[in-house]
Amino acid sequence: MFLRLTRRRFLVSAGSAAAVGAMGGCISTNKATGRSSFTGVYSVEDDIRLGRQEHPKMLAAFGGEYDSRLLKRYVERVGGQLATSTEYQQFPYQFTVLNSPIVNAFALPGGFVYISRGLIALAGNEAEMAGVLAHELGHVNARHTAERMSAGSLAQIGVLAGAIGAAALGLPGELAQAGQQVAAASIQSYSRKQEFEADMLGVRYMSKAGYDPEGMVTFLSTLREQSMVEARSMGLPAGTVDEFNMMSTHPRTVDRVQEATAAAQVQRPAQPILGRQEYLANIDGMLFGDDPSQGVVIGRRFVHPGMRFEFQVPVGFRVRNEPDQILAQGADRSAVVFDLGVARTSDMTQYLQSDWAGQIRLKDVQAISVNDMAGATGWTTIANGGRQFIVRLVAIRRDARSAYRLQFVASSDRYQALKDEFRATTYSVRSLSAAQAAEVRPLRLRVIRATGNEDVSALSGNLPYGAFNDDWFRVLNDLPQGRQPVANQPLKLIEA
Ligand SMILES: [Zn+2]
């Protein structure tokens, strides 16, 4: 049994989509694209039913809904305006701001559209946000999810390290449910053709609502910049994007979007809405980065002020805060999985072997002490995909009822090189005092007017990206390298 780390819940899908696809179905003509598409057993009514059914899971997987009536109304107003010119008017369109720092937008079948506050922070005006919402409405109206589910081509979305961990512990995997396939399908990357269709439809909805379709292109450039800075700050090659980043789930290039814009053959509005002032007024005060109530990532450190603990991951590992665990992934399928277990015994060696490992026989089990907390460790090997992996388990007593648990996973040939790093992570686990926990404060986005005498490095100090603060600040404010803000220019600042 595990304890929940945050109120979110991560989605894991199992590979039973082929079975759904094999159930047969029909070819229908899509009202938005005008093309015949194989949407299988899924009718328009099914889209609505599936969307309603999956909505709570989507919310849970991405931090829940962001708590701001002002922002909610604003996004609903922009999205609702775009939805009036969509082909499937029977969809119950609904727009949700996710309380997530990741930069992404998704849509479930039936008109459920999601946009993260991470993405909202990045956009510079209303037209750019409208472009994102319109693109999602394009996917909804082209019924791409039904198409993908019917094709039976869904890959497994589960993170491999998690799967390895589950296998090592003999835990039952998530059950294959058609429902989870839907949510999974909605956050996996679309095909080039589907992206092109979503752009063409999106451009149509944008221009009918009075926006300049160019907003779609300008935001894509910002997204590209953001992902480059992110990759650099993680020490990863340029072009590497997180699997939940919009660049990965909606793979597009500026050229392709421009092509789609031209192919859509829409009339540009005579006086297109840019909506910069209004946009900035609505995002002023928004939470930025991690929500401390769910734990924050600061460089290599993961700090959970609410649950009062922290630990540090190995160099080059990227940390993802999932609802039930914290996952740090390194190169070549190496990983550190951290979670909390219910442990009623004070004997960590017993807990490790009997309660946690269960049927798995661990080797070299030994008692350890981590920052004055009792612990135990042992290891085993598992085979996955024709390769041998070493999995080391560490349990550390947290209090009378729970234990910190770490799983270190690496292929047999790689483990030796990571051994010291893994060890350092084990000994970095510590509890926090109330005062230390109180030091972790939420960051907020504030909009100010530049005086013209500012310096970027003085303005970017509160961002949580260390040496990359300046680069992030420039991306947030669409400020090219080497240029300083000019007088009266609105600026997005991050306040601690
Ligand atoms: Zn897309």
Side-chain angles (χ1 to χ4, degrees), residues 102-268:
I102 63 157
V103 177
N104 214 340
F106 316 109
L108 280 174
F112 295 79
V113 175
Y114 307 84
I115 184 166
S116 68
R117 59 174 169 74
L119 188 151
I120 291 176
L122 208 54
N125 58 50
E126 189 173 297
E128 289 190 345
M129 180 178 78
V132 171
L133 298 174
H135 176 90
E136 295 304 325
L137 289 170
H139 282 305
V140 168
N141 280 269
R143 304 190 58 217
H144 286 152
T145 298
E147 207 172 72
R148 286 197 291 178
M149 288 192 299
S150 303
S153 62
L154 298 183
Q156 213 164 310
I157 190 177
V159 178
L160 184 94
I164 288 178
L169 302 173
L171 299 172
E174 293 276 338
L175 291 176
Q177 290 171 0
Q180 290 192 335
Q181 294 291 340
V182 185
S186 309
I187 54 174
Q188 282 187 303
S189 59
Y190 291 92
S191 71
R192 272 179 67 150
K193 184 174 150 215
Q194 289 173 326
E195 287 302 305
F196 195 76
E197 278 182 355
D199 280 337
M200 269 179 59
L201 292 169
V203 163
R204 205 187 284 169
Y205 310 147
M206 277 181 93
S207 67
K208 285 194 180 145
Y211 295 104
D212 188 340
E214 184 64 15
M216 217 181 241
V217 178
T218 56
F219 186 61
L220 193 63
S221 310
T222 305
L223 269 178
R224 211 178 137 265
E225 290 290 311
Q226 180 269 341
S227 59
M228 306 263 273
V229 172
E230 188 173 80
R232 267 213 314 281
S233 67
M234 297 280 207
L236 298 167
T240 314
V241 282
D242 188 276
E243 63 190 302
F244 292 140
N245 185 288
M246 191 164 184
M247 291 295 278
S248 165
T249 55
H250 300 270
R252 297 190 287 166
T253 62
V254 168
D255 287 356
R256 294 278 294 169
V257 176
Q258 277 166 340
E259 240 177 87
T261 306
Q265 291 185 314
V266 294
Q267 283 256 290
R268 268 186 69 176

Side-chain angles (χ1 to χ4, degrees), residues 27 51 97 377 412 455:
I27 301 208
V97 178
T377 181
S412 303
D455 180 74

Side-chain angles (χ1 to χ4, degrees), residues 136-457:
E136 295 304 325
L137 289 170
H139 282 305
V140 168
N141 280 269
R143 304 190 58 217
H144 286 152
T145 298
E147 207 172 72
R148 286 197 291 178
M149 288 192 299
S150 303
S153 62
L154 298 183
Q156 213 164 310
I157 190 177
V159 178
L160 184 94
I164 288 178
L169 302 173
L171 299 172
E174 293 276 338
L175 291 176
Q177 290 171 0
Q180 290 192 335
Q181 294 291 340
V182 185
S186 309
I187 54 174
Q188 282 187 303
S189 59
Y190 291 92
S191 71
R192 272 179 67 150
K193 184 174 150 215
Q194 289 173 326
E195 287 302 305
F196 195 76
E197 278 182 355
D199 280 337
M200 269 179 59
L201 292 169
V203 163
R204 205 187 284 169
Y205 310 147
M206 277 181 93
S207 67
K208 285 194 180 145
Y211 295 104
D212 188 340
E214 184 64 15
M216 217 181 241
V217 178
T218 56
F219 186 61
L220 193 63
S221 310
T222 305
L223 269 178
R224 211 178 137 265
E225 290 290 311
Q226 180 269 341
S227 59
M228 306 263 273
V229 172
E230 188 173 80
R232 267 213 314 281
S233 67
M234 297 280 207
L236 298 167
T240 314
V241 282
D242 188 276
E243 63 190 302
F244 292 140
N245 185 288
M246 191 164 184
M247 291 295 278
S248 165
T249 55
H250 300 270
R252 297 190 287 166
T253 62
V254 168
D255 287 356
R256 294 278 294 169
V257 176
Q258 277 166 340
E259 240 177 87
T261 306
Q265 291 185 314
V266 294
Q267 283 256 290
R268 268 186 69 176
Q271 286 187 308
I273 305 164
L274 200 59
R276 182 160 171 78
Q277 302 293 351
E278 182 152 32
Y279 187 76
L280 294 174
N282 277 285
I283 67 169
D284 195 5
M286 185 174 71
L287 200 61
F288 183 84
D290 290 322
D291 182 341
S293 73
Q294 300 172 345
V296 303
V297 180
I298 307 167
R300 283 162 57 204
R301 280 168 71 215
F302 179 85
V303 186
H304 202 309
M307 303 190 91
R308 304 259 289 267
F309 68 83
E310 73 160 78
F311 67 97
Q312 187 157 323
V313 304
V315 177
F317 277 51
R318 64 199 302 184
V319 186
R320 180 175 297 144
N321 185 8
E322 294 178 355
D324 303 333
Q325 64 184 24
I326 295 133
L327 172 69
Q329 290 170 291
D332 198 23
R333 293 155 68 169
S334 53
V336 180
V337 186
F338 179 102
D339 70 356
L340 295 179
V342 174
R344 302 205 186 278
T345 170
S346 60
D347 183 343
M348 284 294 107
T349 309
Q350 189 198 324
Y351 170 75
L352 176 73
Q353 290 176 295
S354 315
D355 296 12
W356 191 13
Q359 301 299 314
I360 312 271
R361 273 269 288 286
L362 298 176
K363 299 183 181 87
D364 304 332
V365 173
Q366 51 175 305
I368 55 171
S369 173
V370 177
N371 297 314
D372 294 330
M373 298 177 283
T377 181
W379 62 279
T380 186
T381 54
I382 56 163
N384 188 294
R387 291 171 71 194
Q388 184 92 346
F389 287 82
I390 292 177
V391 181
R392 174 170 287 281
L393 303 185
V394 174
I396 302 167
R397 191 165 188 233
R398 179 175 181 248
D399 56 28
R401 293 189 356 242
S402 63
Y404 300 116
R405 305 195 304 190
L406 295 116
Q407 297 169 49
F408 298 98
V409 185
S411 62
S412 303
D413 50 331
R414 225 190 141 78
Y415 197 91
Q416 198 56 32
L418 284 164
K419 211 173 141 196
D420 290 347
E421 291 274 13
F422 283 170
R423 199 181 144 78
T425 293
T426 293
Y427 289 95
S428 73
V429 177
R430 62 182 71 244
S431 40
L432 300 176
S433 66
Q436 286 168 324
E439 280 169 22
V440 183
R441 294 209 190 87
L443 301 176
R444 295 204 177 265
L445 192 152
R446 292 282 173 211
V447 180
I448 60 147
R449 292 246 164 220
T451 59
N453 299 318
E454 290 95 346
D455 180 74
V456 165
S457 34

